[in-house]
Amino acid sequence: RPLEPTGQRQLLKTVSPTVSFLRNEYLIDLTVEESINFMRPEVTFHHGRKDFDPLVANATILQLFAPGDVLGWVSLKPCQFWAAAAIVNHAPDASKPGQMIRSVRRRDFPAPGLSCIVHMPVHPETMVMLEQQGLVKAGAYIIMPAPGREGQALNVEIQRVYRPSDWAITLMP
């Protein structure tokens, strides 16, 4: 189905009674190159993010493994959006003060001209990568040119969701 007038589309594919995959697609008013640079892990965890992102209280890079491969920490500001997200994501531990996340970007993957970013929560004591911790779920983002929309990028986000309900899906950004 086509994108909504808002430039968004959500698709849900159920693979078992309790597991589904949610695909969020949304337009960004940036070129593909600008979007790729804006979503770099080094930008995501930059300490200055709190100055321009109203949902972030603090962010920091803990370790830079290579360009585009970062272990970072982010703390979110309490708000109604995060409270609703905690309910939707079955995340009773969402009140934790912050999350450790490994974020990796690869250019020309999964195809030439595209870029893929993968975020994975990391347990702060064991350093084991997790499928979900608090509000943070492992997810993949593919950045591509928006079909028929010059100068815009289409971001495609894919996450595994458990027992989604119709009302919960409508709360997803």
Side-chain angles (χ1 to χ4, degrees):
R1 71 177 206 243
L3 290 173
E4 302 292 330
T6 60
Q8 298 180 336
R9 171 176 41 200
Q10 294 178 328
L11 305 167
L12 184 68
K13 179 171 181 147
T14 301
V15 294
S16 78
T18 59
V19 177
S20 299
F21 288 93
L22 179 65
R23 176 181 171 135
N24 286 317
E25 299 179 2
Y26 49 94
L27 291 172
I28 300 219
D29 287 328
L30 299 171
T31 66
V32 170
E33 192 62 31
E34 290 168 335
S35 185
I36 289 169
N37 288 331
F38 182 73
M39 293 182 71
R40 284 180 31 225
E42 295 89 341
V43 173
T44 300
F45 297 106
H46 189 274
H47 61 85
R49 183 171 173 191
K50 66 184 180 301
D51 298 331
F52 66 87
D53 189 333
L55 298 176
V56 172
N58 194 13
T60 189
I61 295 173
L62 300 173
Q63 186 172 357
L64 178 64
F65 298 101
D69 189 351
V70 169
L71 179 65
W73 184 269
V74 66
S75 299
L76 304 172
K77 292 179 183 174
C79 68
Q80 288 180 335
F81 174 82
W82 295 130
I87 294 167
V88 170
N89 288 299
H90 304 280
D93 56 349
S95 62
K96 291 185 177 191
Q99 297 286 314
M100 187 179 292
I101 303 168
R102 177 88 180 258
S103 183
V104 180
R105 178 189 74 171
R106 294 293 179 256
R107 285 183 166 276
D108 295 321
F109 182 83
L114 304 181
S115 190
C116 179
I117 299 170
V118 176
H119 295 294
M120 297 147 289
V122 176
H123 191 282
E125 295 169 8
T126 65
M127 302 304 288
V128 172
M129 287 186 257
L130 306 168
E131 186 174 336
Q132 178 175 354
Q133 184 174 31
L135 288 176
V136 181
K137 288 182 171 233
Y141 304 82
I142 300 170
I143 303 166
M144 62 183 68
R149 303 212 183 198
E150 185 71 28
Q152 287 187 313
L154 179 66
N155 286 6
V156 178
E157 170 189 0
I158 300 170
Q159 288 187 333
R160 182 177 175 179
V161 291
Y162 296 93
R163 299 177 299 280
S165 56
D166 291 338
W167 70 267
I169 296 300
T170 63
L171 294 176
M172 297 295 289

